[in-house]
Amino acid sequence: MTPAAPAYRRLSVEERRSQLLDAALSLFAHRLPEDVSLDDVAEAAGVSRPLVYRYFPGGKQQLYEAALRSAAEELRHCFDEPHDGSLLPRLARALDRYLGFVGRHDAGFSALLQGGSVAETSRTTAIVDGVRRSAAEHIYSHLGVDDPGPRLRMTVRMWITAVEAASLIWLDEDKDPPAEELRDWLVEQFVALLTVTAGRDPQTAELVRGALAAET
């Protein structure tokens, strides 16, 4: 007897939406947003164009923003590292996840951070800024600081900017040096920035004497 074909399972609303977002993210990972059409997303998801419109009636812009929020949520979790063990290994593990995301979403990551896309709006800019703020809050938490002063805040934000810039250059250089080497280099830059700031800021100096003293 011929085995029966598996029964067709109708996807729930959330499952279908997730399927479409996954397809869109896969496309945006390798192509600029303006180069991706709804037909491309429909084909990648194996559905019809009208079905894509049913879930995203605002068209490609709505789909792009939804995909961006999904990617931003993943990026936010990169620095959400358990507070186990010493500080620098925790930071290294967070960077491993961050660079892993960058490597998987190369062109999409570049478009996201560099701007200039026709799909860019104040809403998409706010999504990206939200990721940066979340990363900074996680770093303050790892440093054990509840109320960072202006110099420490500036130092952490400078480092986050450096991580983004290094990631873009890394992609432009065909992911050379290897991710592990780039990770270690970025950790060392974080320590160096804190050390320089410590010469001008008592709060950061206390951190360097305490949290970092045993690791550097």
Side-chain angles (χ1 to χ4, degrees), residues 23 25 30 35 38 46 50 52 61 67 73 97 106-107 114 127 134 141-142 155 174-176 191:
L25 277 173
H30 303 289
D35 294 335
L38 285 184
V52 179
Q61 184 64 38
E73 189 62 27
R97 287 193 293 273
D106 40 32
Q114 289 177 315
I127 292 169
S134 178
S141 177
H142 285 298
T155 299
D174 295 324
K175 301 177 184 176
D176 184 42
V191 174

Side-chain angles (χ1 to χ4, degrees), residues 21 24-25 28 31-34 38 56 59-70 108 111-113 117-121 124 127-128:
L21 287 177
L25 277 173
F28 291 137
R31 292 154 60 182
L32 296 176
E34 51 264 39
L38 285 184
F56 299 97
K60 188 174 77 171
Q61 184 64 38
Q62 182 186 7
L63 177 59
Y64 174 67
E65 290 178 12
L68 187 56
R69 288 190 187 93
S70 177
L112 167 64
L113 290 186
S117 166
V118 297
E120 184 180 15
T121 66
T124 61
I127 292 169
V128 177

Side-chain angles (χ1 to χ4, degrees), residues 173-189:
E173 295 290 338
D174 295 324
K175 301 177 184 176
D176 184 42
E180 295 80 5
E181 183 179 335
L182 177 58
R183 173 203 63 204
D184 292 342
W185 188 15
L186 290 171
V187 170
E188 291 165 4
Q189 288 183 355

Side-chain angles (χ1 to χ4, degrees), residues 45-149:
V47 301
S48 66
R49 179 188 173 98
L51 183 63
V52 179
Y53 262 115
R54 183 187 306 171
Y55 283 83
F56 299 97
K60 188 174 77 171
Q61 184 64 38
Q62 182 186 7
L63 177 59
Y64 174 67
E65 290 178 12
L68 187 56
R69 288 190 187 93
S70 177
E73 189 62 27
E74 185 178 345
L75 269 176
R76 283 192 186 96
H77 287 305
C78 288
F79 287 92
D80 189 11
E81 174 70 22
H83 289 203
D84 298 327
S86 53
L87 173 64
L88 297 187
R90 275 185 263 152
L91 190 60
R93 289 192 294 270
L95 284 171
D96 279 337
R97 287 193 293 273
Y98 186 91
L99 293 174
F101 178 93
V102 173
R104 293 193 305 274
H105 297 83
D106 40 32
F109 181 83
S110 298
L112 167 64
L113 290 186
Q114 289 177 315
S117 166
V118 297
E120 184 180 15
T121 66
S122 59
R123 291 189 298 275
T124 61
T125 300
I127 292 169
V128 177
D129 286 342
V131 173
R132 293 168 179 151
R133 287 194 298 271
S134 178
E137 290 301 324
H138 281 304
I139 292 170
Y140 300 143
S141 177
H142 285 298
L143 290 171
V145 177
D146 295 325
D147 186 21

